[in-house]
Amino acid sequence: MQAPDFWSAPRGKGGLAAKALTPLSWIWRFGTERRLASGKWHRLDAPVICVGNLTVGGTGKTPTVSFLQEYLGGRGMTPHVISRGYRGSETGPLSVDLARHDAGEVGDEPLLLAAFGPTWVSKDRKAGAEAAIAAGADIILLDDGFQNPGLHKDLSVIVVDAETGFGNGRILPAGPLREPLTSGIERADLILSLGPDAAQDRLTNLWPELNAKPRVSGHLAPLATGMQWTGLRVLAFAGIGRPEKFFRTLERCGADVVRTRSFSDHASYGQTILDRLEAEAKELGAQLVTTEKDAVRLPAAFRSKVLTLPVRLALDDVASFEATLERALAL
């Protein structure tokens, strides 16, 4: 879904739409608090790191998980990722195989993460984690699941988009928050805010609650692949939480973005849409470009017609991030 405009209103605002939906927010909040209070919070035989957020939409969770996969693997550990496989048909527990599975079966994020290491799809997080441990995992990475009470988390990392923050600060459906900000921060161990310096400063000023927990800043940086973007005419399309961020990144790389097309997060690309995109690109004399997450949802026959711009997490203070991990997990 595309976030309604009133979600991005100033804190506490949102107009008549937000006010009208506030009673439903009370119901959502009650349901979330009840679910968390009655959760089992099972402890596993391996530590669990949860990478989540407090809002709906993209904040940078997947690049954070892939960063942890590489970091922990470099420390001699064997991390396995557990994902619910949003919009995938498989319920799991299922070990994702890049040669056998597609986004329709396991979802787009598990396919991306499987390129970095063992990844499981499981609607039941506990069952998925137990299957991963049986297969050799010595540490579990939960992709999302911060509001899921099925497992005890040894470390919970909350990822925040520094540019959007928490929108109007209201709870679904009156705003983008999945739960009250204060209770979410209370359960978190580390805040990871992603965005430019100016946005980081605004985030701190607008949401001082974040100061209650350790915080590390960073940003998503294009991966150096040798691709020469400067001057390349492109038609950029994306079905992610904030497509405009991807378009701006292309422009910063020097690409001549002559047209953009935005789709809903996790959008499926049918043949009609693909034919239209291809025809537009041909008319404009432009190259089709999309995100890694979108690329894995494209049919294999169409993927060769599209360039991707991969991004990776870059931390401003790696030492602080590492210190938090070591304190929590005794690495």
Side-chain angles (χ1 to χ4, degrees):
M1 63 171 286
Q2 293 282 17
D5 290 340
F6 67 85
W7 278 11
S8 59
R11 184 172 187 175
K13 306 296 183 181
L16 292 176
K19 290 181 180 179
L21 292 170
T22 294
L24 294 179
S25 296
W26 296 337
I27 296 172
W28 183 284
R29 173 175 179 170
F30 174 76
T32 300
E33 291 176 344
R34 183 177 181 181
R35 186 175 71 253
L36 292 171
S38 61
K40 301 298 183 181
W41 303 102
H42 295 284
R43 285 186 178 271
L44 300 176
D45 294 331
V48 175
I49 299 177
C50 175
V51 178
N53 60 12
L54 299 180
T55 60
V56 296
T59 56
K61 293 190 306 295
T62 303
T64 302
V65 174
S66 63
F67 175 91
L68 285 168
Q69 286 175 282
E70 294 192 303
Y71 174 80
L72 295 169
R75 297 292 296 268
M77 305 186 74
T78 307
H80 283 215
V81 175
I82 310 299
S83 171
R84 66 183 173 129
Y86 181 65
R87 288 202 175 180
S89 60
E90 294 287 349
T91 59
L94 175 71
S95 179
V96 178
D97 185 338
L98 292 172
R100 294 175 47 236
H101 299 132
D102 60 32
E105 296 169 313
V106 300
D108 49 19
E109 289 156 349
L111 283 178
L112 287 177
L113 295 170
F116 293 88
T119 300
W120 297 73
V121 163
S122 184
K123 306 302 183 187
D124 183 331
R125 307 295 179 95
K126 176 175 177 288
E130 290 175 338
I133 292 171
D138 57 18
I139 188 165
I140 298 297
L141 297 176
L142 286 185
D143 178 26
D144 212 350
F146 183 67
Q147 287 79 24
N148 185 300
L151 291 176
H152 167 79
K153 285 90 170 176
D154 296 275
L155 177 69
S156 289
V157 181
I158 295 300
V159 185
V160 183
D161 185 324
E163 293 184 290
T164 58
F166 304 101
N168 61 13
R170 296 175 182 264
I171 298 170
L172 288 165
L177 281 169
R178 297 180 176 187
E179 60 175 298
L181 180 62
T182 52
S183 62
I185 291 175
E186 184 178 352
R187 294 201 322 280
D189 299 296
L190 177 68
I191 309 297
L192 174 60
S193 54
L194 302 181
D197 291 343
Q200 300 281 358
D201 293 338
R202 287 195 302 270
L203 183 72
T204 301
N205 293 332
L206 187 58
W207 306 98
E209 295 93 332
L210 293 174
N211 295 325
K213 290 295 172 73
R215 178 175 156 195
V216 175
S217 61
H219 60 280
L220 300 181
L223 181 66
T225 62
M227 176 66 197
Q228 297 299 316
W229 296 101
T230 302
L232 180 66
R233 288 174 59 86
V234 303
L235 189 165
F237 68 97
I240 56 177
R242 291 188 60 206
E244 67 276 7
K245 289 177 64 176
F246 168 64
F247 304 148
R248 290 202 303 268
T249 300
L250 272 171
E251 289 172 344
R252 287 195 295 269
C253 289
D256 179 13
V257 182
V258 295
R259 187 167 296 175
T260 64
R261 290 285 180 251
S262 298
F263 299 91
S264 60
D265 198 8
H266 303 278
S268 298
Y269 293 108
Q271 193 58 49
T272 300
I273 292 175
L274 297 177
D275 288 344
R276 186 167 70 243
L277 286 171
E278 187 173 14
E280 282 189 82
K282 183 176 180 180
E283 179 185 352
L284 294 166
Q287 169 65 52
L288 288 169
V289 182
T290 194
T291 71
E292 287 182 292
K293 184 186 284 191
D294 287 281
V296 299
R297 298 197 301 273
L298 297 174
F302 195 82
R303 209 169 296 167
S304 61
K305 303 176 183 180
V306 182
L307 295 178
T308 60
L309 177 65
V311 296
R312 297 292 182 264
L313 173 62
L315 296 176
D316 297 329
D317 187 352
V318 177
S320 294
F321 191 79
E322 291 177 335
T324 302
L325 289 179
E326 291 171 357
R327 284 195 301 269
L329 306 175
L331 295 178

